[in-house]
Amino acid sequence: MSPKRHLLLATCSVGIEALLADELRELGCQSVEERRGAVAWRGTLESAYRTLLESRLASRVLLEVGFGKATSERVLYDTVSAIDWSAHASPEHSLAVDFLGLNPGIRHTGFGAQRVKDAICDRLRQDQGRRPDVDRASPDLRIHAFLTEKHIAISIDLAGPPLHQRSGGAEGGQAPLKETLAAAILRLAGWHRRPRPLLDPMCGTGTLLREAAAMARGDAAGLLRTRWGFQGWVGHQPALWEGLVQQARERAPRPVPPIFGRDRDPASLAQARQSLARLGLADCVQLEQGELAQARPPVEGPGMVLCNPPYGERLGDEAEARRTMGELGDVLRRHFLGWEAWILAGSPALARGLGLRPEQRIPIWNGPIECRLLQVPIDTRPVKDEAGPHREPPAPR
C-alpha cells in the first residue's frame, strides 16, 4: 500500500513564493502550487518532515485535516466537529487555534477561533470523556483555521516555533533579519549554486553569515531544533522522522568558501560569535571589529559583498542611514574592484543613495518594510579622483 498523501502548505514571506516552490521541488515535492505567502503540494508525511528539516525558506508547514462549509457560526462548528479529532489531538496535550479570515457569518477572528476550539474540545470529550487544556502561548498542538467566504480549511501546524528559529530560539539583534529572509537573499544572489568568497561589512549579529555558511556546507536547517509542532500530534510517526534526522546527521559536509564579517559594534559581534558557535559554524566564518570606511577585500580575486544596511525608520535616524549607504557605495567603488555586491535597501531613496547603478532591483519584504535587493556589479577600473565616477541619477521607483 502506498503512503497516504496529504494536502500540505509551506508558508513564507510574501514575495519569495517562487523561491520556495523551487526549493520544495529540490526536496522532492511534486505538483507544487504557489499561493500568496505560501506554497501548496499534495504529498506524503515524509515530504512534510523533509521540508520541516531541510527548508531554509519556509516559515511553517501545515497539514490539512479538514475542509468544509462555514457560512455561519453553526455551520462552522458542525464542519470542525465532524473531523475525527482522536486521530490528531489528545486530552493530555494542550492546544491553541490560530484563525485567519472573515465572512458575513463570522465577523471576528477571536470568535471564529473560539468556536473552532469549542468544536474540537467537545468532539474529544464526546469520544474520549475529557477535553484538552488551552494554552495560547506555548501549546503542544497548534491548529490553523483559514476561512473564506463559504469554506473553512483546518490544518495541523507541524512546525511549532517558526522555522526561522534554526536552533529553537531567536537569533536577532537590534534590527534582526529573519534567517528565512537571509536564505532568500542568498538564493536570489545565486549563492546556493555557486558559493564564493563573501564579506558582510556591516554584519551585526551575523544572520547572513550564518545562513551562507550553513547553506554552503549543506546543513539541514532544522537539525539542531528540539521542539516541533508534530510532537503533540497523534499522527506523528517518530521512526520516519528519526530516520530523516539520522540521514541529515550522516551527510558529508561540503567545503565552505572564505566567509568574513565586520561590524563596528563589539556587542553585536559577540552575539554573532555565540550564534555561530551554537550552530557549529564558528570555524567557517571570520569576524573582526572595524568601521565601514576601513573595509577592504579579505581575499585576492573577486568575491561577493552581501549586507543589510540600516534603514533609518527602524533604527531611528534616516539621515544616518543615507550617509551609511553613500559611504558603502564609496567603499565598494574604490576598494572592491571586480566584486559583486548584493545590498538590501530599505527604500528606493536609500537605493539611489548608494551612488552605483544596480543591474537588478528586486522587490522583497522584510516584515512590513518593502525593500529593494540591489545587485551591483562593481567596475574593475580604479577610481582616479576623490569625487569618483559619476553617481547614478535618481531613478523612478
Side-chain angles (χ1 to χ4, degrees), residues 83-91 123-124 127-128 234-235:
I83 298 170
D84 179 12
W85 283 104
S86 294
H88 304 293
S90 165
R123 175 65 189 267
L124 283 172
D127 293 346
Q128 300 191 28
V234 172

Side-chain angles (χ1 to χ4, degrees), residues 80-109:
V80 177
S81 62
I83 298 170
D84 179 12
W85 283 104
S86 294
H88 304 293
S90 165
E92 284 77 31
H93 290 145
S94 62
L95 62 81
V97 175
D98 291 337
F99 194 96
L100 181 65
L102 300 172
N103 68 19
I106 301 163
R107 302 182 179 182
H108 191 280
T109 56

Side-chain angles (χ1 to χ4, degrees), residues 38-356:
V39 177
W41 78 102
R42 189 166 290 278
T44 63
L45 184 57
E46 180 177 350
S47 76
Y49 283 168
R50 193 181 302 278
T51 300
L52 288 165
L53 184 62
E54 301 283 357
S55 174
R56 294 196 165 274
L57 301 176
S59 300
R60 296 186 180 278
V61 175
L62 309 179
L63 182 147
E64 187 175 292
V65 297
F67 181 86
K69 292 184 178 180
T71 51
S72 69
E73 172 269 330
R74 183 71 243 178
V75 175
L76 166 67
Y77 179 94
D78 290 344
T79 294
V80 177
S81 62
I83 298 170
D84 179 12
W85 283 104
S86 294
H88 304 293
S90 165
E92 284 77 31
H93 290 145
S94 62
L95 62 81
V97 175
D98 291 337
F99 194 96
L100 181 65
L102 300 172
N103 68 19
I106 301 163
R107 302 182 179 182
H108 191 280
T109 56
F111 175 71
Q114 179 71 32
R115 295 308 286 151
V116 170
K117 184 269 297 180
D118 290 345
I120 297 171
C121 291
D122 291 349
R123 175 65 189 267
L124 283 172
R125 182 168 55 187
Q126 172 188 320
D127 293 346
Q128 300 191 28
R130 289 189 301 131
R131 56 186 289 159
D133 293 331
V134 174
D135 183 348
R136 293 183 178 87
S138 185
D140 297 315
L141 184 68
R142 188 172 292 276
I143 311 296
H144 280 254
F146 180 69
L147 180 71
T148 63
E149 185 176 356
K150 296 182 179 180
H151 295 91
I152 187 83
I154 304 294
S155 301
I156 303 296
D157 179 1
L158 299 177
L163 294 177
H164 76 267
Q165 296 178 4
R166 304 301 196 210
S167 59
E171 309 280 4
Q174 183 184 16
L177 184 73
K178 285 185 178 180
E179 285 76 1
T180 45
L181 182 58
I185 291 170
L186 285 158
R187 285 184 74 97
L188 287 167
W191 177 263
H192 63 304
R193 296 192 188 93
R194 189 169 67 89
R196 51 203 183 276
L198 182 145
L199 168 68
D200 184 346
M202 292 177 283
C203 68
T205 57
T207 307
L208 285 165
L209 303 176
R210 291 195 303 273
E211 282 300 300
M215 186 181 291
R217 197 168 66 176
D219 294 357
L223 192 58
L224 298 184
R225 285 169 54 109
T226 58
R227 186 179 177 200
W228 297 92
F230 56 68
Q231 290 167 329
W233 176 48
V234 172
H236 173 46
Q237 297 182 23
L240 178 60
W241 171 254
E242 289 301 331
L244 293 173
V245 170
Q246 189 62 29
Q247 290 176 21
R249 286 177 178 154
E250 294 174 352
R251 184 186 304 158
R254 299 193 297 255
V256 179
I259 299 177
F260 304 87
R262 291 172 54 89
D263 201 88
R264 64 187 301 179
D265 179 26
S268 293
L269 288 173
Q271 188 172 347
R273 290 189 177 94
Q274 292 172 2
S275 298
L276 286 164
R278 185 161 52 245
L279 295 173
L281 297 169
D283 294 336
C284 299
V285 179
Q286 299 182 44
L287 298 174
E288 67 175 8
Q289 184 180 351
E291 298 290 335
L292 172 61
Q294 275 72 56
R296 300 293 184 270
V299 294
E300 293 185 4
M304 177 186 292
V305 172
L306 185 70
C307 62
N308 176 34
Y311 301 164
E313 54 187 288
R314 283 199 295 177
L315 299 181
D317 191 340
E318 185 177 348
E320 177 66 15
R322 290 197 302 268
R323 186 199 67 77
T324 300
M325 188 67 85
E327 183 177 50
L328 174 61
D330 288 341
V331 168
L332 292 177
R333 71 187 188 197
R334 293 179 185 281
H335 303 293
F336 287 82
L337 306 180
W339 281 54
E340 180 181 56
W342 288 81
I343 300 163
L344 188 63
S347 70
L350 285 176
R352 292 192 294 272
L354 186 67
L356 295 169

